[in-house]
Amino acid sequence: SLPVRLVLPPVFFAASLAYFLPKTADNLSSYLTSVEETYMPGVAAQRKALNKNVSETVSSTLKSYAKAKNAASDGIRQARQQLEQQTGLKVANAPDVDGKLKETEAKGASAIEELKTKAVDTFHRIEEETRKLGEQAKGEADRAVDVIAKKEDEPPKRLV
């Protein structure tokens, strides 16, 4: 119960920051990015590459979905026209098929939105982990500086 009480408030704050304070969130993000680029350029490059890959994946998924949707619509339309030509039945403008197609389109759109949400959540988790690693590295560096300072302050040991 105690860890939950300690962890949840900062998590909810971080999650709601972009919604309630967008300028502050942007400024904080810019600052953390600059600190990351200054002190951990390797991690910053990896984060940028990951961000680029996620955005490319989302855009290619959206393009593939649009192509598949158009191909399915065209295929259904052509099949209905051919069926109408071959049999004489008036099925080219059947409303029930259009309704099912729109229902399928809505399901596809919701799946795309879910994919976007998961990608953004993953990106935010990666940014949070990167920030934590940066803080740990800073803490280790500070401890190392303190140890070196203590060693310099101590008088040299005599061997004889």
Side-chain angles (χ1 to χ4, degrees), residues 115-159:
L115 177 66
K116 281 183 185 177
T117 304
K118 286 182 181 179
V120 168
D121 290 344
T122 302
F123 178 72
H124 288 300
R125 273 189 262 124
I126 289 169
E127 281 187 328
E128 181 65 23
E129 289 298 320
T130 303
R131 185 189 60 76
K132 287 179 184 177
L133 288 173
E135 289 174 358
Q136 287 176 352
K138 185 178 181 291
E140 290 295 323
D142 290 343
R143 277 188 230 111
V145 167
D146 290 343
V147 168
I148 291 171
K150 285 181 183 178
K151 293 286 184 180
E152 289 175 353
D153 291 342
E154 291 179 5
K157 294 183 180 178
R158 295 188 175 223
L159 298 176

Side-chain angles (χ1 to χ4, degrees), residues 24-74:
T24 303
D26 186 48
N27 290 341
L28 184 62
S29 175
S30 298
Y31 172 72
L32 291 175
T33 302
S34 69
V35 167
E36 181 184 47
E37 288 173 351
T38 302
Y39 295 107
M40 296 178 292
V43 175
Q46 289 176 352
R47 187 185 54 79
K48 284 181 183 179
L50 181 66
N51 187 15
K52 181 180 174 187
N53 288 339
V54 168
S55 64
E56 287 175 356
T57 302
V58 169
S59 67
S60 70
T61 304
L62 291 174
K63 288 177 185 176
S64 298
Y65 170 72
K67 286 180 184 178
K69 176 182 152 188
N70 290 336
S73 297
D74 291 343

